[in-house]
Every structure is written in C-alpha cells, then in structure tokens.
Amino acid sequence: MGSEIAFADSTTSSCNLESFLISSAFPTRAARLAVAPYHYDVMTRSWSLLRPLLAGLALTVLQLAVVVGLLAPEGAVSYRYSTLNQHDSYWFMNIVDRGYQTIVPPVNHKVMEVSNVAFFPAYPAIAALLHYGLKIDTGSALLITAQLATWGFWSYFFLLCNRWDISPALQVCGALLIVAHPAAFFLVAGYSESLFLMALLGFVYWSSGNGRAAKFWAALHGIVMSATRIVGIVCAAYPVVFSILTKGWNGSHESGARFRKHAPAIGLMFVGTLGALSFFIYCQLRWGHWDMYMLTQAAGWGIVPDYLAVFRPSNYRWLVPALNNPIEASQMSMTLGALLLVAVTLSELLPAMRRQADWATRGGLYFCAAVIFYISVSGVACVEMESMLRYEFCVHALIVLALLNFLRQFRTLPVFVRAFGVVAVALVSAAGLSVQGWYVWNFTRGNWVA
C-alpha cells in the first residue's frame, strides 16, 4: 500500500514537473497576459494608434499617385508634381517669398505684388518653415505641407472611427465617399483645405479627450485651425457645443454656476481663436486696420458678404451643371450641401430614426458643418457662388463623419439594406471620381475649377 502511494506521489510530481516545463516553454495566452499584462496592453494600444496612421498614409499616397501618375500633364515626374500648384497656390508662394505686403487701402483688383493680404497665415507660415528650414523651393514646400496635412486629416478620420468603434466596412465606405467628392483632390494640391480639415478634426479629437495633454493638443490644433480659415473662428466653439449637449444648459438658476460648468470648454474655445486674433492684431499694428483681410477680399475679389444668401431661393440651382462650367458646378454644390444638411437633421429628429447615443459628438460636427456652409455661402453669393464646390467639400467631410457615427448604432441591419447601401456608395463614388478626374485634368493644366 505504501509503495502504491509512493508511486502515485512520484507520478504526480513528474506530471507537475512536465506541465511546468511545457507551460514555461509554450505559455498560453492567459499565462502570457498574467506574466506581462503591461507589455501586452502597450502593444495593443500602440497598434491601435499605428493602424489609423498607416491607413491615412496609404490613402494620401494613393490620392497623390492617381493625380500625379494618371491625370497630370505628360512630362517628368517633378513637372507633373509641380502642376498641383495652380491659381491660389501662386498667392501663397508670394506670401512665403515676400511676406504680407499691401497698400492702404488695398488695390481694387487682384495684384499680388501690391496687395496679398487676402489669405490667412497658417498655411504659408508652415510652408515657409519648410522652405527656409530645409532649403527647398517654395512650390514644393507648399505641396509637402498640404500633403502632410492630408495625412493628418485621414489619420484623424480613422482615429475618430476607432474611438467610436465603427466597423471596418463602414470606415471604408465613409473614406470612399469623402475621397470621391469632386473637390477632394484639393487635399493634395497647393491649397489650404487639407490643413484646415486636419486641424479641425484634430481639434474635435483632442477636445473630447481627458487630461491636460489632450487639452494642450486641442488648443494647438484650434490655433492652427483659426489661423488657416476665417470659418475656424466659429468652429472653435465646438467644445462649448459638445459640453452643452453633454452636460445640458439647465440645472442651475445662477448664471455663474452655468458658466463654471462649461468654463473649461469656453476657455478652450477662446484659445482656439487665438490664431485668427493674432492675425487681426498683426494687421492692426502694421497697417492700422485689423480687418485688412476683409478689405483686401472686398477690393480685389469683390467679396461683399450677404448673410441672408442661404435664405434666398434664387441662390439655389436645380439643373445638372455643365462639366466645363465651374460656376454652375459651385452653384449646384451649394444646393446639394443644403439638401445634405437638411437630410441629416431630419434623420436625427424623426422618431423612427432617432438615436441618442453620442448625440453630443454629432451635434458638434453638425454645428461646424452648418457654420462653414453658412459663412461660405454668405461670402461667395455676391460672386455667383464661385469656389463653393471647394468650400462645400469641408462640409461634406464633416457630414460623412457624423453619418458614420450615426450608422454605427444599427448593428443588425437586414442583408438587403446593407447590400443596397454598398451599391449606393459604389455608384455615387464612381460618379464622383469620374467628375473629379475631369476636374483634376483641367486643374493641372491651369484651368479654373473652384
């Protein structure tokens, strides 16, 4: 009996030893997590951050390859690449090379050698850093700045999708809807669209985060945003809109208590406007007119804002525009932009479609889209909506992002509904890419598009 017990003990010991050796050599996933949970968590978080950056880089390179490799004029690669600088790009070049120059009052027609204070400073300032710091030519500095900002824009797009737990299929559809917009090629051209959108999405991403580091990055993106486009001043109110929709406006009869509840958001809004405010202060100190930008726009471009333009039916065009008429295309883009804003508003208000999850985020995005649309229309109504196609692209990108946030709540859609959505996205994208190809062909050959 004692020998059996001894044999059993020795067998058990050998089995335990064998199990120990096997588990040491080939640890299970649970064992690996138990031994090194910190390293596993770090690797998981690093990959979750790296994946959007790689996706953004791939999409930027793809856009650039299509534009330069397929649609630009024949010639050396360097020449094809340089054709992405057209029209407004030359004004930015002039600002980089000469700084801001103007007479007072500004000249009453477009002459960049006399009055060039018609563009906000962030884009040419960053391009100037590359131009003088890396000793590269001005045109290349403008394009590299725009394309780095495009990478940033797409990276924040995918980072926001990851934060909202949007499925990969929806992310692909959303990215396709944005990249297929007829004016999406301006992201990689020598224009400020990409920098503005990158700063705006970065502002949205970081302002809704927690901690001092998040607020710092939000403030930095907000400053760049308002220093890139005048509409960035109003978009700086995103944190306040988000805070009100999250915490509510009521809850206290004292105005001081309400202010304290939203004080961090109000402070971030103010900091976000400092880019534009600094530009206005610079104009005041140098020329005695804080509104020199507006004066130059009015004198050279004939921009006289009409703040009732969105309410005038005569400003809306309902006929299909001719491809060779960019003014008609911009007029039609205003109509489509307005219809898109109305559609998303109804989708949020209709009882059958109403979803409250993450409404604060979508409300903030709708707010930014609406103010960009309103200010843009008010500014270009006096010139027959010229360039509205390009301005509406920013509205389009924000609405698509909000739509993805909305659709993620429907996890169990019928198969035929999903199939219909995929087909619709494919058809719309094919049409948009076809029109965009025509515009790129004309733009890179010096023709005016938007």
Side-chain angles (χ1 to χ4, degrees), residues 144-380:
I144 292 171
T145 300
Q147 289 145 20
L148 288 175
T150 303
W151 180 18
F153 160 70
W154 285 119
S155 297
Y156 278 123
F157 172 84
F158 289 114
L159 283 169
L160 286 168
C161 288
N162 281 3
R163 173 182 286 180
W164 300 334
D165 194 26
I166 294 174
S167 67
L170 270 181
Q171 292 189 40
V172 171
C173 289
L176 190 57
L177 286 174
I178 293 176
V179 81
H181 189 282
F185 72 91
F186 280 106
L187 287 172
V188 294
Y191 277 63
S192 62
E193 268 67 27
S194 57
L195 183 62
F196 174 74
L197 280 172
M198 184 276 291
L200 175 54
L201 290 199
F203 188 61
V204 170
Y205 181 82
W206 291 110
S207 63
S208 54
N210 297 318
R212 293 184 177 179
K215 301 308 178 188
F216 168 80
W217 288 111
L220 183 61
H221 282 77
I223 291 171
V224 174
M225 175 183 68
S226 67
T228 304
R229 287 282 185 82
I230 193 169
V231 292
I233 301 173
V234 188
C235 289
Y238 172 87
V240 177
V241 175
F242 181 83
S243 180
I244 291 174
L245 294 177
T246 302
K247 302 176 183 177
W249 179 252
N250 296 323
S252 175
H253 297 291
E254 297 181 9
S255 59
R258 291 177 179 175
F259 176 82
R260 286 191 296 272
K261 183 167 64 172
H262 303 292
I266 295 172
L268 188 56
M269 175 186 69
F270 172 75
V271 174
T273 63
L274 290 180
L277 292 178
S278 299
F279 181 48
F280 294 153
I281 292 172
Y282 166 81
C283 291
Q284 178 65 38
L285 294 177
R286 183 168 179 183
W287 296 294
H289 293 274
W290 69 269
D291 58 345
M292 183 58 69
Y293 163 83
M294 285 75 97
L295 294 176
T296 307
Q297 286 271 317
W301 279 259
I303 301 297
V304 180
D306 178 5
Y307 297 108
L308 297 178
V310 295
F311 306 108
R312 302 185 197 279
S314 59
N315 287 326
Y316 294 89
R317 179 181 176 85
W318 302 100
L319 298 177
V320 177
L323 278 176
N324 60 353
N325 192 328
I327 295 294
E328 289 184 356
S330 286
Q331 291 169 345
M332 189 62 189
S333 71
M334 176 205 172
T335 302
L336 294 177
L339 291 175
L340 198 56
L341 285 170
V342 171
V344 296
T345 302
L346 290 177
S347 69
E348 296 283 356
L349 296 179
L350 289 176
M353 299 289 289
R354 187 178 302 167
R355 293 293 186 277
Q356 295 301 323
D358 214 7
W359 159 242
T361 297
R362 294 197 302 279
L365 292 174
Y366 294 147
F367 167 79
C368 292
V371 297
I372 292 173
F373 180 81
Y374 174 77
I375 294 175
S376 299
V377 170
S378 300
V380 298

Side-chain angles (χ1 to χ4, degrees), residues 85-153:
N85 279 321
Q86 302 289 346
H87 307 295
D88 287 1
S89 306
Y90 299 123
W91 288 81
F92 288 123
M93 289 183 190
N94 186 270
I95 295 170
V96 171
D97 292 335
R98 299 175 57 242
Y100 282 118
Q101 302 289 337
T102 188
I103 59 174
V104 182
V107 65
N108 61 359
H109 52 285
K110 298 179 185 179
V111 181
M112 66 179 70
E113 289 77 14
V114 179
S115 298
N116 65 3
V117 194
F119 299 87
F120 267 45
Y123 179 49
I126 296 173
L129 290 177
L130 293 180
H131 170 61
Y132 294 106
L134 301 180
K135 306 301 181 182
I136 58 179
D137 65 275
T138 307
S140 297
L142 281 174
L143 292 176
I144 292 171
T145 300
Q147 289 145 20
L148 288 175
T150 303
W151 180 18
F153 160 70

